[in-house]
Amino acid sequence: METRKRSIVKAVIWNVLGLVSMTLVGLAATGSVKAGGAMALINTGIGFTVYLAYERVWAQVQWGRRHV
């Protein structure tokens, strides 16, 4: 089973990558660093919350795991 700490660290790293890429996409779409950054922050906040909940739910699912 995955620990909460591991789930949080994975979510933070994933969202930092997403924040950077979404900022670049927002900049390209709007031509504004401020608007692109705002879009990226909102997306990161939502993505972090959803990803963390998703990981915790799957940590409880036993289907497809091999027991050693």
Side-chain angles (χ1 to χ4, degrees):
M1 176 175 270
E2 188 162 298
T3 65
R4 288 183 191 271
K5 185 176 181 179
R6 179 179 163 88
S7 293
I8 291 170
V9 169
K10 284 172 56 180
V12 167
I13 292 169
W14 177 252
N15 277 280
V16 166
L17 294 171
L19 179 62
V20 171
S21 63
M22 188 61 188
T23 298
L24 295 174
V25 169
L27 174 60
T30 66
S32 167
V33 173
K34 188 174 182 179
M39 290 169 54
L41 286 173
I42 292 167
N43 184 63
T44 297
I46 292 168
F48 179 82
T49 303
V50 172
Y51 179 81
L52 190 57
Y54 178 80
E55 282 289 314
R56 295 311 299 160
V57 167
W58 272 101
Q60 301 300 314
V61 174
Q62 297 300 314
W63 175 80
R65 289 187 177 176
R66 292 186 181 192
H67 299 283
V68 179

